[in-house]
mmCIF file of all heavy atoms in Angstrom:
data_model
loop_
_atom_site.group_PDB
_atom_site.id
_atom_site.type_symbol
_atom_site.label_atom_id
_atom_site.label_comp_id
_atom_site.label_asym_id
_atom_site.label_seq_id
_atom_site.Cartn_x
_atom_site.Cartn_y
_atom_site.Cartn_z
ATOM 1 N N GLY A 406 28.542 -19.496 -27.166
ATOM 2 C CA GLY A 406 27.794 -18.342 -27.650
ATOM 3 C C GLY A 406 26.553 -18.656 -28.445
ATOM 4 O O GLY A 406 25.798 -17.749 -28.816
ATOM 5 N N GLU A 407 26.260 -19.927 -28.717
ATOM 6 C CA GLU A 407 25.099 -20.340 -29.499
ATOM 7 C C GLU A 407 24.073 -21.018 -28.607
ATOM 8 O O GLU A 407 24.420 -21.805 -27.725
ATOM 9 C CB GLU A 407 25.518 -21.301 -30.616
ATOM 10 C CG GLU A 407 26.463 -20.694 -31.645
ATOM 11 C CD GLU A 407 25.776 -19.651 -32.502
ATOM 12 O OE1 GLU A 407 24.551 -19.782 -32.733
ATOM 13 O OE2 GLU A 407 26.456 -18.699 -32.931
ATOM 14 N N MET A 408 22.801 -20.724 -28.844
ATOM 15 C CA MET A 408 21.736 -21.352 -28.069
ATOM 16 C C MET A 408 21.633 -22.832 -28.410
ATOM 17 O O MET A 408 21.591 -23.217 -29.581
ATOM 18 C CB MET A 408 20.399 -20.663 -28.361
ATOM 19 C CG MET A 408 19.233 -21.294 -27.628
ATOM 20 S SD MET A 408 17.665 -20.454 -27.945
ATOM 21 C CE MET A 408 16.545 -21.576 -27.070
ATOM 22 N N VAL A 409 21.593 -23.685 -27.367
ATOM 23 C CA VAL A 409 21.476 -25.126 -27.600
ATOM 24 C C VAL A 409 20.219 -25.712 -26.960
ATOM 25 O O VAL A 409 19.790 -26.797 -27.337
ATOM 26 C CB VAL A 409 22.718 -25.885 -27.079
ATOM 27 C CG1 VAL A 409 23.956 -25.480 -27.852
ATOM 28 C CG2 VAL A 409 22.924 -25.651 -25.587
ATOM 29 N N ALA A 410 19.620 -24.997 -25.982
ATOM 30 C CA ALA A 410 18.437 -25.540 -25.310
ATOM 31 C C ALA A 410 17.796 -24.452 -24.463
ATOM 32 O O ALA A 410 18.368 -23.380 -24.247
ATOM 33 C CB ALA A 410 18.808 -26.741 -24.427
ATOM 34 N N SER A 411 16.597 -24.741 -23.979
ATOM 35 C CA SER A 411 15.925 -23.882 -23.000
ATOM 36 C C SER A 411 15.289 -24.772 -21.948
ATOM 37 O O SER A 411 15.050 -25.965 -22.176
ATOM 38 C CB SER A 411 14.866 -22.993 -23.668
ATOM 39 O OG SER A 411 13.901 -23.788 -24.340
ATOM 40 N N GLY A 412 15.049 -24.211 -20.783
ATOM 41 C CA GLY A 412 14.481 -25.008 -19.708
ATOM 42 C C GLY A 412 14.171 -24.180 -18.487
ATOM 43 O O GLY A 412 14.143 -22.944 -18.542
ATOM 44 N N LYS A 413 13.948 -24.859 -17.381
ATOM 45 C CA LYS A 413 13.566 -24.202 -16.131
ATOM 46 C C LYS A 413 14.700 -24.323 -15.120
ATOM 47 O O LYS A 413 15.194 -25.419 -14.836
ATOM 48 C CB LYS A 413 12.289 -24.825 -15.565
ATOM 49 C CG LYS A 413 11.808 -24.181 -14.268
ATOM 50 C CD LYS A 413 10.408 -24.629 -13.885
ATOM 51 C CE LYS A 413 9.372 -24.010 -14.805
ATOM 52 N NZ LYS A 413 7.989 -24.213 -14.300
ATOM 53 N N ALA A 414 15.096 -23.176 -14.570
ATOM 54 C CA ALA A 414 16.168 -23.152 -13.576
ATOM 55 C C ALA A 414 15.713 -23.811 -12.283
ATOM 56 O O ALA A 414 14.586 -23.600 -11.827
ATOM 57 C CB ALA A 414 16.603 -21.717 -13.300
ATOM 58 N N LEU A 415 16.588 -24.598 -11.682
ATOM 59 C CA LEU A 415 16.316 -25.244 -10.403
ATOM 60 C C LEU A 415 17.102 -24.604 -9.266
ATOM 61 O O LEU A 415 16.855 -24.919 -8.098
ATOM 62 C CB LEU A 415 16.649 -26.734 -10.490
ATOM 63 C CG LEU A 415 15.920 -27.517 -11.587
ATOM 64 C CD1 LEU A 415 16.399 -28.960 -11.608
ATOM 65 C CD2 LEU A 415 14.412 -27.450 -11.393
ATOM 66 N N LEU A 416 18.043 -23.728 -9.613
ATOM 67 C CA LEU A 416 18.903 -23.066 -8.633
ATOM 68 C C LEU A 416 19.020 -21.592 -8.989
ATOM 69 O O LEU A 416 18.803 -21.203 -10.141
ATOM 70 C CB LEU A 416 20.311 -23.682 -8.646
ATOM 71 C CG LEU A 416 20.480 -25.128 -8.203
ATOM 72 C CD1 LEU A 416 21.916 -25.562 -8.497
ATOM 73 C CD2 LEU A 416 20.161 -25.271 -6.719
ATOM 74 N N PRO A 417 19.423 -20.749 -8.037
ATOM 75 C CA PRO A 417 19.781 -19.372 -8.386
ATOM 76 C C PRO A 417 21.000 -19.371 -9.304
ATOM 77 O O PRO A 417 21.866 -20.257 -9.224
ATOM 78 C CB PRO A 417 20.123 -18.729 -7.031
ATOM 79 C CG PRO A 417 19.596 -19.654 -5.990
ATOM 80 C CD PRO A 417 19.556 -21.015 -6.591
ATOM 81 N N GLY A 418 21.085 -18.360 -10.160
ATOM 82 C CA GLY A 418 22.184 -18.300 -11.111
ATOM 83 C C GLY A 418 23.546 -18.282 -10.459
ATOM 84 O O GLY A 418 24.490 -18.920 -10.951
ATOM 85 N N HIS A 419 23.669 -17.577 -9.314
ATOM 86 C CA HIS A 419 24.991 -17.451 -8.697
ATOM 87 C C HIS A 419 25.503 -18.765 -8.116
ATOM 88 O O HIS A 419 26.697 -18.897 -7.842
ATOM 89 C CB HIS A 419 24.970 -16.373 -7.608
ATOM 90 C CG HIS A 419 24.359 -16.809 -6.319
ATOM 91 N ND1 HIS A 419 23.012 -16.713 -6.049
ATOM 92 C CD2 HIS A 419 24.922 -17.354 -5.203
ATOM 93 C CE1 HIS A 419 22.761 -17.173 -4.835
ATOM 94 N NE2 HIS A 419 23.891 -17.566 -4.299
#
Side-chain angles (χ1 to χ4, degrees):
E407 297 291 329
M408 178 179 174
V409 296
S411 58
K413 181 169 288 191
L415 303 177
L416 294 172
H419 78 272

